[in-house]
Amino acid sequence: MIKTVILSLLLTSTLFSKGLGVKNILKESFSENITVEKKSIILTKEEAKAIQTKAQAKLNSKIVQLFKVKENDKEIGYGVVLKRKVRTKKTAVLYIIDTNQTIKSIEILSFKEPLEYKPNDAWQEVFKGKNSDDMLISGKDIPTISGATMSAQGITDMSRIALAIIEAKTK
């Protein structure tokens, strides 16, 4: 088990040191011809409260990394990176959302818990095409993962937060 954790940490840091960062992931999701504008947003107390109410989930930080994706100077989507402690360690997830406020995909950027708690690619695909009209509740709209309930619940909660942030910040 310790070898698995060490391998996971090495793999994550190796991928990002080789340039597989958020911008490259967004290019893979949209197109090679995009430009990406990164913004660190500090939510006001009122914005944070409104987002938490809309998402029915707790924000862990008022600081949000938002990526605006443009092609030919036209906004075509967004990336939102959110972090949350799953069990004892933080997980970072990139939510890739189009201009219709629909999730195109999610990408787990960092997962420091044991790998057996990490949701697999097939489970992550369930988010594709979901928007704020969907329930996005673990165990109802989104399947639970046997042995990784907290991971599934945390990532699902963050998906509602990401959609609420996009709705609030792109009006």
Side-chain angles (χ1 to χ4, degrees), residues 98-142:
D98 66 21
T99 53
N100 295 322
Q101 298 181 3
T102 300
I103 297 174
K104 285 180 63 74
S105 64
I106 69 169
E107 184 78 30
I108 298 173
L109 301 175
S110 174
F111 191 85
K112 301 203 173 160
E113 296 289 343
L115 287 180
E116 59 262 23
Y117 299 135
K118 183 178 179 186
N120 64 31
D121 292 343
W123 182 84
Q124 293 175 56
E125 285 291 316
V126 172
F127 289 89
K128 189 174 186 173
K130 302 285 186 189
N131 61 41
S132 59
D133 292 337
D134 296 304
M135 287 174 43
L136 292 171
I137 296 174
S138 184
K140 296 192 190 255
D141 197 31
I142 304 296

Side-chain angles (χ1 to χ4, degrees), residues 28-131:
E28 287 178 14
S29 191
F30 288 98
S31 116
E32 280 294 318
N33 301 323
I34 63 167
T35 56
V36 178
E37 176 187 326
K38 178 184 175 184
K39 286 186 167 187
S40 289
I41 297 171
I42 301 173
L43 301 170
T44 66
K45 187 176 183 179
E46 293 77 23
E47 287 173 325
K49 186 176 180 180
I51 286 167
Q52 289 180 126
T53 300
K54 172 84 176 159
Q56 296 190 358
K58 186 177 184 279
L59 262 173
N60 289 341
S61 173
K62 290 183 187 175
I63 301 171
V64 176
Q65 287 183 25
L66 175 68
F67 297 82
K68 290 187 178 184
V69 181
K70 294 182 179 182
E71 188 171 44
N72 300 324
D73 293 327
K74 181 183 175 196
E75 239 172 58
I76 60 168
Y78 312 95
V80 179
V81 175
L82 296 174
K83 298 174 186 170
R84 173 170 281 190
K85 189 183 285 186
V86 172
R87 292 177 190 283
T88 59
K89 310 242 188 269
K90 286 201 175 180
T91 295
V93 181
L94 169 63
Y95 295 87
I96 302 168
I97 302 169
D98 66 21
T99 53
N100 295 322
Q101 298 181 3
T102 300
I103 297 174
K104 285 180 63 74
S105 64
I106 69 169
E107 184 78 30
I108 298 173
L109 301 175
S110 174
F111 191 85
K112 301 203 173 160
E113 296 289 343
L115 287 180
E116 59 262 23
Y117 299 135
K118 183 178 179 186
N120 64 31
D121 292 343
W123 182 84
Q124 293 175 56
E125 285 291 316
V126 172
F127 289 89
K128 189 174 186 173
K130 302 285 186 189
N131 61 41

